[in-house]
């Protein structure tokens, strides 16, 4: 399909056109044309290539349409003497270009007729004219013209027309031709619009437009999306030898590039064609034309996104591009049988990046010449020649370059380089660009110049060379592999494993015969210099040590296959694309357009769009809908303009709120990321951009629907809004609803009656009654408390005047009525409190009350019963802007579920953790806005939707279902995190610590099909191996983190308590020792529930049995390179107490697996001491208590001896 004009956006080429086409002017009943020379003048196009020139030409198409029969007759009619029909035919069939040249050149029409007759007589035709250098006549030449007819062609005239002809001879390039050799004077249909991009030491790259009439694409290479811009790359050989070599191999090179494009892979840089042309002062310059990389290169991706927000989409996009690059390498290795030889972030080009897909499409660029040069250099070096510099960065070079094996410079070269690039991409994803730079600094080490990721060592005995990965690179790989987001069964984990075990591997594949045949990859073999440098495979390489290790570097095919497998996410864990464990505070913000649009349309009264805000000139010029808008102001500028510009005022306030110094010279950069503005490269949004529903926008999907100003709290519209959340969840999330079969009512509920009623009453539904009720999660705060007790119980059953209820409860009643639910459960009213009440019975039902409630109301903004939660909220600052008359808003960013809810006063209550976890759905009434949480994530009143991997655990309507499909490792980390959080919460009575989590713990035990008690889970022995399971031991390995205050033993009332091995016995924050998953042999310990105890009451029933060992030889501290730590629970005094007795005792729970001696393997243990007088003796077994936890190499631990009971 020919390319059409309408693709052109830039319209550079029409700069000189004053008229749209060859319009005839009607004069006195006959057709009259403007003078042809005038038309040719106005239709001329400008070529600015090569740089610094300005040449004019006519497009091929234009000449064809302009020089038609009418015009030819009209022009020739002006000549003296008559013209023949034959000459008209000749012009129309063979000489339109010649006619244009001659007519444009001289306005004398008599001369024109003579000139055309001359061409016809001498059989000079358009088809013979060309800008290409060829054997026959390809252009008008002075000698030829004067020789043929010296009366028509004076020397001067012939010379001038030969110069003039080029403007009609501009070539039409075609993608099916690999190379053109152009005449020095040929005018190319290019406009240079920039320089840069791929420009390197040995090439100059210009960004150009190619006139659409002058680029044909019979190969369909640009069928689907024709680029607006192209790159013309001029090769700049560093020396004469290299120049000679390049020119000699040029045609082959171009053909190879063309062949590669036959693959139609998305990740192969699209090649247009190549050309040469004589240069001033030299014989020939070589050029390549490619599509222009509109988003720069991989390095630019890093630079533009120094701290990318790690989302599963981002991981997927990155893996997709790596897969594409591997396929492109595989295809070119197989098809063209060449390697690239210089894969690095500067050579990986980036296309079509958008705020939604920041990576875009990556393509390997710079195929060909850079590689040739580099290899030639390597070969020269190995022939004993020295060059002054090594070219560019050597960081991505494989070890075979230095190992002296020229023959090994096979296609595996690229695989190693891809390994380095992949590693950098993973580092960028996980830690950001500063860490990529740190990695490069680390690799460089003490060297001043760039060094590769490997090092070469010479064996002392044999003198043989051996390559290995730099230890610092190994360290980075280890470090990454330890990140929870890079766990083994995640995409990132698999990518790291691929890099380590298959890509950054010194050993080459065994079938070297195939990969090493020089002719397979050496395209430039016609170069004599190059051929001489290649030695036969057997001549070198005798000094390479090859281990017997079966591990060898992947071929590009193996690499591509492995990436295909990584992309296949079937049968993978739910969080295969992104696993969060420790990185909990990362919230993902999403648009939720269908819900948002529906909600906006169902609300009857929305605040009217306000009049547009006042803007300064700078702000008026901002394009919030363009790609990657960024606003860069100084604080001084904003301060100066804020009086007259609402946006500058908002930006200034936002900066100050985010701790930017008010100093006038301080620069602040706001960057748009989808529907948010982020500041100074941080990942967290500081402003939201939103729009109303009725507006029509340029980029529909980019800016979210939203509400700039919140609805009035407690108003009918506000409750209608909350009802939208519930109805949407009811109708779209079956998993969020309790099944009607199990909707049992609690023992008592508050009957809230109908809107307007002055009374409510306490109601005891008949046992087993089913129905819909709401539960309230609220802070008790200071007293006196409004409660039901034995004295007012009867009265409450009769009626409670609404006005008597404290504000928090009254608001709960109003909300329940407005949300069309009849019954409300409030612990203070529905449980009979105090002496004679039923708290102990009802506390056990709490799990069911919260998990069966239709939804839960959380009074997050209240501090006590009297605060209420429907009061006014702070006004949200925003400005109203217009995009083509449609209003949109820049608003204060207030979507802070963590700050408003999770870190709220309410959520610091110990009891609330399980209320939150067990609730199916919760409406949180926070100070800045209202949130709704269900299994689908968190929805904000601003219409933003947000989610967070760890919070999803507590937000799960079917808690703890969400983690049941997770790996064992993730389950454990989540449980540990849950307990960690619980240990930071507050209690009115510390002895409630085991009770306030009982319901939740019971759900967890049931879901895990585990036994256990006091926060410890025991899954028993591993079914397959019959070995002790890890869950129990890992949950026992809690400790007090360094720097945290010593824990305090809780004083339990009689009949209650917790054993010393459980953190429930203490107040204080905890952490867990985390032995590597899958890497530990667990020791025998006997849990109390492994016997037949039905109830765990006495010391005897809660004791844990294990064998006690002594820690010895620690006096001098740990040996060099050893690891270890002892952490005491209670206090330093206790530590001394233990030491006084001469030794520290421990019970080992697990030992690191490994080939090494047990003495050097890490042992994990709890620290114990004799319980002494604290406890009565237990039959014949000695009683101990836990005082801490730790880990040490085995040689510091005596072999285990006496079995003791830890109580
Ligand atoms: Zn402004
Ligand atoms: Zn839901």
């Amino acid at each position: 399909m020919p390319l059409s004009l309408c693709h052109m956006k830039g319209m550079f080429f029409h700069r000189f056109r004053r008229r749209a086409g060859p319009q005839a002017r009607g004069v006195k009943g006959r057709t009259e044309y403007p003078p042809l020379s005038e038309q040719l003048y106005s239709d001329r196009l400008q070529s600015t290539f090569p740089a610094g020139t300005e040449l004019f030409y006519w497009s091929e198409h234009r000449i064809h349409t302009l020089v038609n029969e009418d015009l030819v007759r009209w022009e020739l009619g002006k000549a003296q003497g008559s013209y023949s029909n034959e000459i008209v035919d000749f012009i129309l069939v063979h000489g339109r270009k010649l006619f244009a040249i001659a007519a444009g050149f001289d306005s004398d029409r008599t001369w024109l007729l003579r000139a055309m007759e001359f061409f016809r007589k001498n059989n000079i035709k358009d088809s013979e004219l060309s800008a290409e250098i060829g054997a026959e006549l390809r252009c008008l030449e002075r000698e030829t013209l004067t020789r043929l007819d010296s009366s028509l062609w004076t020397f001067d005239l012939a010379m001038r027309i030969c110069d003039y002809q080029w403007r009609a001879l501009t070539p039409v390039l075609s993608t099916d031709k690999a190379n053109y050799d152009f005449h020095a004077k040929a005018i190319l249909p290019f406009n240079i619009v920039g320089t840069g991009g791929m420009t390197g030491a040995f090439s100059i790259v210009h960004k150009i437009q190619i006139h659409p009439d002058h680029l044909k694409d019979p190969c369909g290479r640009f069928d689907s999306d024709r680029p607006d811009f192209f790159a013309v790359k001029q090769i700049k050989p560093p020396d004469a030898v290299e120049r000679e070599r390049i020119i000699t191999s040029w045609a082959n090179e171009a053909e190879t590039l063309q062949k590669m494009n036959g693959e139609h892979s998305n990740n192969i840089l699209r090649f247009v064609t190549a050309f040469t042309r004589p240069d001033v002062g030299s014989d020939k310059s070589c050029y390549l034309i490619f599509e222009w990389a509109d988003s720069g290169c991989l390095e630019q991706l890093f630079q533009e996104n120094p701290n990318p927000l790690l989302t599963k989409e981002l991981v997927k996009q990155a893996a997709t591009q790596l897969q594409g690059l591997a396929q492109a390498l595989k295809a070119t290795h197989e098809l063209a049988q060449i390697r690239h030889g210089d894969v690095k972030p500067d050579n990986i080009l980036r296309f079509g990046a958008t705020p939604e897909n920041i990576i875009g499409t990556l393509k390997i660029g710079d195929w060909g010449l850079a590689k040739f040069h580099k290899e030639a250099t390597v070969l020269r070096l190995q022939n004993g020649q020295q060059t002054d510099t090594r070219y560019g960065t050597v960081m991505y070079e494989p070890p075979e370059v230095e190992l002296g094996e020229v023959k090994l410079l096979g296609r595996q070269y690229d695989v190693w380089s891809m390994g380095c690039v992949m590693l950098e991409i993973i580092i960028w994803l996980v830690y950001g660009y500063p860490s990529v730079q740190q990695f490069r600094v680390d690799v460089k080490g003490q060297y001043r110049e760039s060094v590769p990721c490997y090092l070469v060592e010479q064996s002392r005995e044999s003198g043989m060379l051996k390559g290995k990965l730099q230890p610092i690179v190994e360290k980075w790989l280890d470090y990454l592999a330890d990140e929870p987001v890079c766990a083994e069964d995640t995409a990132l984990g698999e990518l790291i494993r691929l890099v380590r075990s298959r890509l950054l591997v010194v050993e080459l594949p065994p079938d070297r015969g195939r990969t090493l045949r020089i002719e397979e990859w050496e395209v430039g073999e016609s170069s004599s210099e190059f051929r001489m440098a290649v030695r036969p495979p057997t001549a070198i390489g005798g000094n390479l040590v090859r281990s017997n290790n079966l591990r060898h570097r992947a071929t590009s095919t193996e690499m591509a296959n492995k990436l295909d497998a990584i992309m296949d996410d079937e049968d993978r864990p739910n969080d295969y694309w992104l696993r969060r464990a420790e990185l909990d505070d990362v919230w993902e913000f999403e648009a939720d357009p269908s819900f948002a649009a529906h909600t906006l349309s169902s609300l009857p009264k929305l605040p009217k769009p306000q009049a547009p805000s006042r803007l300064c000139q700078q702000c008026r010029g901002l394009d919030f809908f363009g790609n990657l808008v960024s606003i860069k102001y100084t604080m001084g500028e904003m301060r100066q303009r804020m009086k007259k510009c609402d946006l500058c005022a908002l930006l200034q306030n936002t900066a100050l709120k985010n701790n930017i110094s008010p100093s006038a010279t301080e620069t602040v950069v706001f960057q748009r990321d989808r529907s948010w503005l982020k500041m100074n490269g941080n990942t967290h949004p500081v402003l939201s951009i939103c729009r109303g529903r009725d507006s029509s926008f340029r980029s529909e999907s980019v800016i979210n629907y939203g509400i700039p100003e919140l609805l009035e709290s407690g108003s009918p519209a506000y409750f209608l809004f909350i009802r939208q959340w519930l109805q949407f969840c009811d109708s779209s999330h079956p998993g969020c609803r309790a099944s009607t079969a199990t909707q049992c009512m609690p023992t008592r509920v508050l009957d809230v009656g109908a809107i307007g009623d002055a009374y409510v009453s306490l109601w005891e539904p008949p046992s087993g009654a089913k129905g819909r009720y709401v539960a309230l999660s609220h802070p008790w705060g200071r007293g006196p408390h409004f409660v039901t007790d034995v004295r007012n119980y009867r009265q409450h059953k009769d009626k409670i005047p609404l006005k008597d209820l404290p504000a928090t409860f009254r608001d709960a009643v109003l909300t329940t009525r407005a949300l069309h639910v009849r019954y409300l459960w409030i612990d203070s009213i529905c449980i009979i409190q105090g002496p004679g009440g039923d708290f102990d019975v009802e506390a056990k039902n709490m799990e069911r009350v919260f998990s069966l409630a239709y939804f839960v109301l959380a009074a997050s903004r209240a501090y006590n019963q009297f605060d209420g939660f429907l009061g006014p909220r702070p006004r949200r600052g925003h400005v109203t802007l217009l995009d083509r008359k449609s209003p949109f808003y820049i608003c204060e960013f207030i979507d802070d579920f963590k700050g408003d809810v999770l870190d709220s006063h309410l959520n610091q209550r110990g009891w609330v953790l399980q209320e939150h976890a067990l609730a199916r759905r919760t409406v949180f009434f926070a100070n800045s806005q209202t949130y709704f949480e269900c299994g689908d994530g968190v929805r904000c009143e601003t219409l933003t939707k947000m989610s967070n991997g760890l919070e999803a655990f507590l937000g799960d309507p079917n808690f703890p279902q969400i983690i049941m499909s997770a790996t064992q490792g993730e389950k454990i980390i989540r449980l540990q995190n849950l307990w960690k959080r619980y240990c930071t919460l507050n209690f009115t009575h510390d002895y409630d610590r085991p009770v306030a989590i009982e319901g939740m713990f019971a759900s967890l035990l049931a879901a895990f099909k585990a036994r256990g008690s006091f926060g410890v889970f025991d899954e028993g022995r591993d079914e397959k191996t019959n070995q002790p399971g890890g869950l129990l031991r890992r949950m026992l390995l809690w400790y007090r983190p360094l720097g945290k205050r010593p824990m305090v033993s809780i004083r339990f009332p009689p009949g209650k308590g917790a054993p010393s091995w459980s953190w429930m016995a203490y107040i204080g924050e905890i952490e867990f020792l985390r032995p590597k998953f899958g890497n530990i042999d667990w020791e025998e310990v006997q849990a109390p529930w492994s016997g037949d105890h039905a109830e765990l009451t006495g010391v005897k029933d809660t004791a844990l049995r294990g064998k006690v060992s002594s820690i010895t030889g620690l006096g001098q501290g740990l040996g060099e390179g050893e690891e270890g730590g002892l952490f005491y629970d209670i206090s330093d005094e206790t530590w001394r107490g233990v030491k006084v007795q001469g030794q520290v005792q421990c019970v080992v729970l697990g030992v690191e697996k490994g080939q090494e001696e047990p003495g050097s393997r890490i042992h994990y243990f709890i620290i114990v001491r004799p319980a002494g007088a604290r406890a009565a003796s237990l039959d014949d077994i000695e009683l101990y208590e836990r005082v801490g936890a730790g880990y040490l190499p085995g040689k510091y631990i005596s072999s285990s001896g006496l079995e003791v009971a830890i109580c």
Side-chain angles (χ1 to χ4, degrees), residues 616 619 641 645 648:
C616 66
C619 290
R641 301 198 294 249
C645 175
C648 279

Side-chain angles (χ1 to χ4, degrees), residues 90 98 115-124 140 153:
F90 168 79
L98 287 165
M116 294 319 292
E117 291 287 9
F118 164 83
F119 292 133
R120 184 164 76 106
K121 198 177 100 200
N122 291 292
N123 210 16
I124 297 173
L140 300 177
W153 299 107

Side-chain angles (χ1 to χ4, degrees), residues 78-89:
K78 291 192 262 182
Q80 286 173 0
S82 61
Y83 59 86
S84 63
N85 283 336
E86 285 76 28
I87 192 71
V88 175
D89 286 348

Side-chain angles (χ1 to χ4, degrees), residues 729 733 736 921 932 934-936:
C729 178
H733 309 147
C736 292
R921 309 176 291 183
F932 176 72
C934 75
D936 194 39

Side-chain angles (χ1 to χ4, degrees), residues 725 728-730 732-737 920-921 932-937 939 957:
W725 278 335
F728 179 72
C729 178
D730 274 344
S732 348
H733 309 147
C736 292
R737 282 192 303 257
R920 311 189 74 82
R921 309 176 291 183
F932 176 72
E933 183 184 44
C934 75
D936 194 39
R939 285 187 155 77

Side-chain angles (χ1 to χ4, degrees), residues 267 309-325 356-362 425-426 428-429 485 490-492 495 563-570 572-579 588:
N267 299 81
L309 178 64
L310 192 60
T311 61
K312 54 179 185 287
E313 283 70 34
L314 187 64
V315 175
K316 214 168 183 173
Q317 282 162 10
T320 306
Q321 292 310 312
L322 288 171
Q323 179 192 29
L325 292 175
E356 284 72 38
N357 180 352
I358 58 170
I359 298 179
T361 303
L362 301 179
I425 290 179
I426 299 168
W428 170 72
L429 285 170
V485 289
T490 62
L492 284 174
L495 286 173
L563 278 158
D564 290 347
I566 289 173
M567 285 304 295
D568 180 6
D569 55 9
E570 217 161 275
R572 304 279 197 177
N574 288 341
D575 52 2
Y576 172 70
W577 287 108
L578 186 60
R579 175 159 316 158
E588 290 180 23

Side-chain angles (χ1 to χ4, degrees), residues 196-217:
M198 298 172 277
T199 293
F202 308 109
S203 58
I204 298 173
V205 175
H206 290 295
K207 178 181 184 179
I208 59 160
Q209 287 181 308
I210 302 178
H211 193 282
D213 287 351
H214 285 260
L215 177 57
K216 301 274 178 264
D217 184 21

